[in-house]
Amino acid sequence: MVGSSHEALHRVFQKDPALLTRAFQKVLHVPFPEPRDFAVLNADVTEIEPVERRVDTLMRVETDEGAYLLVVEAQGKQDERKRGSWPYYLAYLYEKYRCEPVLVVITQNSTTARWAAQPIRRGLPGWESLTVRPLVIGPDNVPVIASEWEAERDVPLAVLSAMTHGRGERAAAILEPLAFALRTVDGDSAAVFGQLIESCLADSRAKEIWRDLMSEIRYFFNNPVAEKVREEGRVEGREEGRLEDRAGMTLRILEWRAIPVSEAVRERVLACSDLDQLEIWARRAVTAERAEDLFSG
């Protein structure tokens, strides 16, 4: 015996499943493929056995317009199972916290980024019951931060740049400016950022370069004189140090790419006293076919 309108309104379709498709066509005017068979399934969606489901990072963000849940998922490759899990995560988290969830996917792979950015649609074509639109952070939209002043202006963004581009050929151009910028933050933060970046570098030579740079950073923070100068904000020879760092980075990028560097090229780079020119040469070093190409164009 049906005792409520709530029960009646949905159980009528159990009695005549074809009624539902006719309602789509004649009431809602929503196209629906002609059915071949029906099976009324168990409507209980309670999970009898506990199922462990975890997102990578979950943050609650308060804004003037309200609170949001940021669901952050790191994705290394395409995984079609995620296109089932992500909608579940968002629906569950909204029900649990009554707070609007936002899905953010971060990846180092352009192909994976394009895959993750595709809307997840559940329901009828053109009339989806559920649509999930992930926000994707990847190498195609994260800028390459290859200058010291940009890295110093926003160190965390420069770290993100190094992490998302850590598997690409442009990683080397990011490392040295970032290492210099890490000296402007506290030692603990620099150490954490350094470990995160190293874990995202795919090329063994890039990792070796980064470990050498991190050794210099550790020395900078552990050296009492350097620490005192840093705290007072009076780093003597700062401009000279930048010139040396940028010239050295340019040569290291060429060496990292196994491009022979003649003594004439080395001397010209090391003798340059124009920071802007050195930055141009450093960028060219990422794509140059010969060391001499630094000076062309």
Side-chain angles (χ1 to χ4, degrees):
M1 181 71 178
V2 177
S4 70
S5 60
H6 171 82
E7 290 289 315
L9 286 171
H10 69 84
R11 289 185 63 172
V12 65
F13 299 115
Q14 295 181 20
K15 174 62 177 177
D16 183 2
L19 174 63
L20 186 58
T21 59
R22 294 197 300 276
F24 276 119
Q25 297 166 355
K26 298 182 178 181
V27 178
L28 300 176
H29 305 290
V30 174
F32 193 94
E34 193 65 28
R36 291 186 296 178
D37 194 14
F38 291 95
V40 178
L41 304 179
N42 188 341
D44 188 359
V45 295
T46 302
E47 296 180 348
I48 299 176
E49 296 182 1
V51 177
E52 183 176 4
R53 300 181 187 269
R54 292 180 179 271
V55 299
D56 291 334
T57 294
L58 179 63
M59 295 180 293
R60 179 187 174 99
V61 179
E62 299 284 348
T63 73
D64 293 338
E65 299 178 0
Y68 293 90
L69 293 177
L70 297 186
V71 184
V72 184
E73 287 278 277
Q75 195 67 26
K77 60 181 181 180
Q78 299 182 32
D79 184 355
E80 288 302 321
R81 292 177 299 177
K82 290 292 186 179
R83 300 184 71 80
S85 299
W86 289 337
Y88 170 85
Y89 294 161
L90 299 180
Y92 173 81
L93 290 171
Y94 176 78
E95 182 65 21
K96 181 177 182 179
Y97 295 100
R98 290 294 168 174
C99 186
E100 297 295 343
V102 179
L103 174 62
V104 181
V105 180
I106 182 168
T107 180
Q108 293 179 293
N109 185 279
S110 295
T111 301
T112 302
R114 289 190 292 271
W115 164 81
Q118 296 176 4
I120 303 170
R121 305 181 191 277
R122 296 291 178 261
L124 293 177
W127 200 278
E128 293 78 11
S129 300
L130 174 66
T131 300
V132 175
R133 299 178 184 273
L135 296 172
V136 180
I137 298 173
D140 293 335
N141 56 9
V142 176
V144 175
I145 297 180
S147 67
E148 290 163 11
W149 72 269
E150 283 185 293
E152 288 183 4
R153 186 173 61 177
D154 193 337
V155 174
L157 180 61
V159 170
L160 180 64
S161 177
M163 295 171 64
T164 52
H165 294 283
R167 296 185 179 275
E169 61 180 13
R170 295 180 288 183
I174 304 173
L175 298 183
E176 189 130 358
L178 177 54
F180 198 92
L182 286 181
R183 301 178 189 182
T184 64
V185 302
D186 63 275
D188 291 339
S189 296
V192 173
F193 285 149
Q195 293 173 4
L196 293 174
I197 293 166
E198 182 176 340
S199 67
C200 290
L201 296 175
D203 188 272
S204 59
R205 287 173 293 180
K207 281 193 174 185
E208 184 178 350
I209 291 174
W210 184 245
R211 287 168 183 165
D212 290 341
L213 292 170
M214 286 303 297
S215 296
E216 297 175 7
I217 293 174
R218 283 191 290 269
Y219 172 79
F220 176 82
F221 281 105
N222 294 332
N223 185 289
V225 176
E227 180 64 18
K228 181 180 179 181
V229 171
R230 176 181 177 273
E231 290 178 352
E232 294 175 352
R234 295 183 290 101
V235 181
E236 296 182 6
R238 182 180 179 86
E239 188 68 17
E240 181 180 350
R242 285 188 172 186
L243 291 171
E244 293 177 356
D245 285 347
R246 182 50 56 88
M249 180 188 69
T250 302
L251 297 174
R252 276 196 288 269
I253 292 175
L254 294 173
E255 294 168 357
W256 176 66
R257 298 182 58 222
I259 294 178
V261 179
S262 67
E263 192 61 29
V265 171
R266 184 178 301 275
E267 289 179 358
R268 182 173 176 180
V269 171
L270 294 176
C272 181
S273 59
D274 186 336
L275 190 61
D276 291 336
Q277 182 62 69
L278 286 172
E279 182 172 335
I280 292 173
W281 289 348
R283 290 178 181 272
R284 289 177 182 169
V286 178
T287 57
E289 296 182 0
R290 300 179 306 118
E292 289 73 15
D293 292 343
L294 296 181
F295 316 125
S296 63

